Amino acid sequence: MTSISLAKANHIIEAAFAKAKEAGLKPLSVVVLDAGGHVIAFQKQDGSSMLRFEIASGKAYGALAVGMGSRKIEAMAKERPHFMEGLSGVSGGRIVPVPGGVLVRSAGQLVGAVGITGDTSDNDELAAVAGIEAAGFEADAG
């Protein structure tokens, strides 16, 4: 079974930060979780506001918990608010249903998730995908 090493997690974060710089994004906070939802690495850029760890983690954790990128979780929350309310309850409120949580796959196998916050949700997701792909993994935002 392939997993995300600390070196690869840091590569994901560095590449996401590079994409943010290239695109002129606001300061980002990035978390990389393993397939069990445990933190491998977290970094935040200077100027990131408080609660960014919780938001980034909630995006990634939700993607893992539901098995889909947080963009789809957001759509599901709009279509089925009662289900989302229940999901939030059973997760202890840990799921943040907005884009920026992306699954990480290796040869199609789920190995973790990346959560990013700090700019618009679309830009957070863009940076997550760039970081994941730069580290040699497959990004699954869907």
Side-chain angles (χ1 to χ4, degrees):
M1 175 180 190
T2 303
S3 60
I4 304 172
S5 67
L6 178 59
K8 285 286 191 175
N10 284 328
H11 188 160
I12 290 169
I13 293 169
E14 290 168 12
F17 286 165
K19 183 65 174 181
K21 182 177 181 180
E22 172 192 309
L25 305 184
K26 294 176 184 173
L28 299 183
S29 296
V30 183
V31 68
V32 180
L33 305 181
D34 67 17
H38 304 99
V39 175
I40 300 169
F42 171 77
Q43 291 184 44
K44 67 185 201 86
Q45 293 181 303
D46 293 342
S48 293
S49 62
M50 61 184 288
L51 291 181
R52 292 301 176 177
F53 173 78
E54 292 81 2
I55 296 167
S57 294
K59 290 179 178 187
Y61 184 85
L64 285 170
V66 181
M68 64 181 69
S70 59
R71 176 175 298 281
K72 281 194 174 178
I73 297 170
E74 178 186 47
M76 185 172 52
K78 291 175 183 174
E79 295 168 7
R80 301 168 54 199
H82 293 313
F83 175 75
M84 194 64 223
E85 183 179 335
L87 190 60
S88 179
V90 298
S91 72
R94 291 182 63 186
I95 296 174
V96 177
V98 294
V102 179
L103 297 172
V104 180
R105 297 190 183 276
S106 177
Q109 181 178 14
L110 180 66
V111 294
V114 172
I116 298 186
T117 184
D119 202 275
T120 67
S121 294
D122 289 342
N123 286 336
D124 294 345
E125 182 179 87
L126 176 79
V129 169
I132 292 165
E133 292 177 350
F137 293 106
E138 302 149 23
D140 181 357

